[in-house]
Amino acid sequence: MPPTRDNNVVKLAVELQAHDHKPVPFLGEFSLQDPLSDFILVLCNLWKIDHPEHYALQYTEAPKEYVTEMNRNRIKDGIVLHLVYSARKTADDILKKLSKPEKKEKEEALDKLSHLSNDITFANEFIKKQGMLHLLACLQNTTSYESPLLPPILSSCLDLMDHGIMRWDELQSTFIERVASYVTCQGTIDSRTLSTSLTILENIILNSPSNIPFIEKQITVSKLLNHIVNAKKGTETQQAVLALINALIQKSVPHMKKHYCGSVTNRQSRSMIFNNVVLQLGENTSQGSSDLAHQLYVLQQLILNQYEDRMNASMDVTDPLVTDNIRELRKIAFESDGEVPSGITPRRPEYKKEYKKLGFKNDINPAEDFKETPPGMLALDNMVYFARKHSDHYVKLVLENCYRADFHECPFGRASIELTKLLCEILKIGEVPNEQGQSYHAMFFSNDCIFEELFSICIVLLNKTWKEMKATTEDFSKVVSVVKEQIKRSISKQPVTLEEFRKTINNLTYAEIAEIWRQERLTNEEQEMQAPPIKELRKALEPDILELIQQHRLRFLVEGTRFKIARGVRAKDKFRYCRLSPNHKFLHYDDCDEKSVPLLEDLSKKISIVEIKSVVTGKECPHMREKAGKKNPSTLAFSVLKDSAGSEPTSVDFVAPDETTYNYWVDGLNALLRQRMPSPQTTADLEMLLNMEIKLRLLDAEGVTIPQQQPEIPPPPPNFIFHYQLQ
């Protein structure tokens, strides 16, 4: 029996990378319980290398870190490691080269530093040896903006700071000023230098609030946006510019946040972003484009969040502007532009009635309607914007409702408040941007007052939908739910401009929304019906439903039917009436005229059910076989075949007046013979009744997800002694 292998021992390979000569790699075993220093000593002895304390192991697969006691769990069977100079010795070597005047030495050191600075083991050693001071001194001595030393210096600084070993507050103001100068310089600058400088400033803003005022003095939004225009489309520079702007908006004091949002949303800045980023991003799905999409999403959310204060601001009774705005709404809607002739005292307008026509709940003091938050005073802001900027639509909307019956009016005030609240919910105003979010909307960067314009389009739509639904005041909530669906579906189609959004949402009528909901409901019901528990329930219910259908068929046979029969090619059509006896034992039939409905006692002929041999249909019927090749209603024909006895006929033939009657009689006769009911009508009735019964049984489970698999039944308890002893 082979010996059991020790799980703590792994087989690996180690290559020497610290020297120019490459000896034969080590192929052997390493015990995970042994110290790394002992293993390094074994390797140095094997390759006859002095000073083993100057060496360390390094992973060859990303991330290419130094092997430490903290990350040695990555060592697995078959892994390949490198023996390299230790982090301490490497840091010493780099610092020596940085202090030398030769440019080539510095370039080599910085290149190596830029590759190692993302390793926390090396970063600890480098910073411990005051390496950041040497690096910053090297930056100060590099005067040319086009120097090839700048990209590795800045990227190394960024990587070293990202480990959190040094705080961003510890950076000197001279360093921040120098980095900011790379962002604001007018000359040509390497794109790597620019993008890294932007990212460093972003991190300083996010992690060192005390340095924000200093950075704000160095840079402006207009200078940052110039880099968006000059940079290549979809590059890291554009992403870094937007990330820095987002950081400024997020971390600045309130009045500066408004300043930055205003700077970004003015026509010139917005056009730069829209034309050079939004339109160019398109269908690009690379990693860079996803990062850029995230920054656009964050910027969009930060701009929309500027409405949060007004959304949460309740009506202030001491604010005269509120009263003035409400009066302006009434004046624009109801007062003519014409001047009153001199000498005539104008009639005092009935303000209360006009405020009621404007759709306010409180027609005495409409300001009370804006106490609820959200949407607070944001609703009044939207109403005033709509009335001023789109006065024609506003006046038309208000006056149109004035001529409707009271219960058919679409209340403008109430609708505006509810619509503003709805838009705040859909656009998630006030929510912190998601760290993974990428869902930006191009049209939000296409207009200066995006929220107000969106409201103006949607309030007109709400009135249009109200008319399409022929709604009354009791249907207000239903109309709002339809409008919510129209807005969400129109936004999801990613219109590029507000005009595209207007066309999209106006084409999405109430009838289309109702049809979409109906189709979704049917799809959901179909999916639910395919769940294994529902299939089992259907199987259990099917016998009872079939019994119900059978009873219906037999009742139909008891009521009786007039059938059409033919006595020859030239003979006139005659009729035959047939009924099933109430005890279901006999079929009574006889000839009749076209209009009579004979009673059971009037039918002189009968067939005992026990005498019936079978029921045949269509061309299998005897009376249809005789007419083969001639035009005849064979699809509605059926015959009752009975055992021949004496001179009595062996079949009774019928031709049903319609397909439903044919199906019912064929089903009923087969049911009497204890056979399956074959008609398609039975299948349709069974499906309909089963679905209705299942829906009724699932009413109490509405909103509960039906599992695809039955939950496991827990094992029985060790005993069945269940009792509770009272103290």
Side-chain angles (χ1 to χ4, degrees), residues 475-696:
D475 301 322
F476 186 83
S477 297
K478 185 178 179 182
V479 175
V480 171
S481 67
V482 174
V483 171
K484 179 179 180 180
E485 194 71 14
Q486 289 172 312
I487 295 172
K488 291 176 71 175
R489 289 184 178 276
S490 298
I491 288 179
S492 68
K493 292 182 180 179
Q494 295 289 340
V496 176
T497 63
L498 276 173
E499 191 56 38
E500 286 185 23
F501 173 78
R502 189 198 311 274
K503 292 178 181 177
T504 301
I505 202 167
N506 284 328
N507 291 334
L508 196 59
T509 62
Y510 165 65
E512 291 187 23
I513 292 293
E515 178 61 22
I516 290 171
W517 281 347
R518 188 184 73 83
Q519 292 294 339
E520 288 179 349
R521 186 174 64 252
L522 291 176
T523 302
N524 292 336
E525 288 177 358
E526 288 177 4
Q527 292 175 349
E528 285 184 357
M529 292 301 175
Q530 297 304 314
I534 300 300
K535 288 183 177 180
E536 291 184 17
L537 179 60
R538 287 174 64 90
K539 189 175 180 180
L541 293 175
E542 189 170 322
D544 293 337
I545 301 297
L546 283 172
E547 179 66 25
L548 184 65
I549 295 172
Q550 179 177 307
Q551 292 174 9
H552 169 265
R553 302 296 193 259
L554 295 178
R555 283 196 297 270
F556 185 83
L557 268 60
V558 170
E559 291 177 3
T561 303
R562 183 189 303 107
F563 296 96
K564 185 177 179 181
I565 59 174
R567 297 295 185 182
V569 178
R570 296 185 179 181
K572 291 184 178 180
D573 291 336
K574 292 188 177 181
F575 298 89
R576 170 178 291 162
Y577 206 91
C578 185
R579 287 178 183 270
L580 175 65
S581 62
N583 60 8
H584 300 174
K585 291 186 177 181
F586 295 94
L587 281 177
H588 296 260
Y589 66 97
D590 206 346
D591 294 344
C592 66
D593 57 32
E594 188 177 356
K595 296 183 180 180
S596 63
V597 181
L599 300 175
L600 187 67
E601 295 78 9
D602 298 333
L603 302 175
S604 59
K605 302 175 184 179
K606 66 180 180 178
I607 307 172
S608 173
I609 299 301
V610 297
E611 295 178 358
I612 298 177
K613 181 180 179 181
S614 64
V615 177
V616 294
T617 60
K619 295 180 180 180
E620 299 298 323
C621 299
H623 62 306
M624 290 296 112
R625 258 189 255 121
E626 297 171 0
K627 300 180 180 181
K630 298 180 181 179
K631 186 178 180 181
N632 57 80
S634 61
T635 55
L636 301 180
F638 65 94
S639 296
V640 176
L641 304 182
K642 62 179 183 176
D643 295 329
S644 58
S647 59
E648 293 184 17
T650 59
S651 70
V652 181
D653 306 318
F654 303 92
V655 178
D658 54 65
E659 187 175 357
T660 302
T661 303
Y662 169 81
N663 288 332
Y664 285 179
W665 270 88
V666 172
D667 285 343
L669 291 172
N670 278 280
L672 290 170
L673 299 177
R674 301 291 189 269
Q675 296 179 4
R676 184 182 63 85
M677 294 181 286
S679 76
Q681 187 67 44
T682 296
T683 304
D685 291 349
L686 176 64
E687 187 70 19
M688 177 190 69
L689 294 173
L690 273 175
N691 288 341
M692 290 178 61
E693 181 66 20
I694 289 172
K695 287 177 184 178
L696 288 172

Side-chain angles (χ1 to χ4, degrees), residues 346-358:
R347 179 179 60 85
R348 177 181 175 83
E350 299 179 3
Y351 291 159
K352 180 179 177 180
K353 184 181 292 185
E354 290 178 350
Y355 286 141
K356 186 176 181 180
K357 289 293 183 183
L358 278 174

Side-chain angles (χ1 to χ4, degrees), residues 247-373:
L248 285 169
I249 297 175
Q250 285 177 296
K251 295 297 182 178
S252 296
V253 294
H255 75 276
M256 289 303 294
K257 284 185 180 181
K258 291 184 179 180
H259 166 72
Y260 287 127
C261 283
S263 300
V264 171
T265 55
N266 67 49
R267 181 163 299 180
Q268 182 179 359
S269 300
R270 181 179 48 76
S271 297
M272 288 181 180
I273 298 173
F274 186 73
N275 295 326
N276 294 279
V277 182
V278 177
L279 293 181
Q280 299 295 332
L281 195 55
E283 300 297 326
N284 192 350
T285 56
S286 64
Q287 178 62 34
S289 68
S290 63
D291 292 341
L292 198 54
H294 172 69
Q295 296 303 331
L296 284 173
Y297 154 76
V298 173
L299 179 59
Q300 166 188 295
Q301 193 62 40
L302 292 174
I303 292 172
L304 289 174
N305 283 352
Q306 295 305 302
Y307 294 96
E308 183 181 7
D309 291 343
R310 294 296 285 173
M311 178 184 75
N312 293 324
S314 182
M315 186 272 298
D316 184 2
V317 293
T318 63
D319 187 358
L321 185 60
V322 175
T323 305
D324 293 343
N325 284 338
I326 293 174
R327 287 175 180 170
E328 185 177 0
L329 290 173
R330 179 195 58 77
K331 182 177 180 180
I332 295 174
F334 299 111
E335 292 187 10
S336 64
D337 294 333
E339 296 181 357
V340 179
S342 58
I344 298 178
T345 303
R347 179 179 60 85
R348 177 181 175 83
E350 299 179 3
Y351 291 159
K352 180 179 177 180
K353 184 181 292 185
E354 290 178 350
Y355 286 141
K356 186 176 181 180
K357 289 293 183 183
L358 278 174
F360 290 107
K361 290 181 181 178
N362 191 328
D363 50 17
I364 297 176
N365 184 12
E368 295 288 333
D369 287 13
F370 302 99
K371 279 190 172 182
E372 181 185 355
T373 58

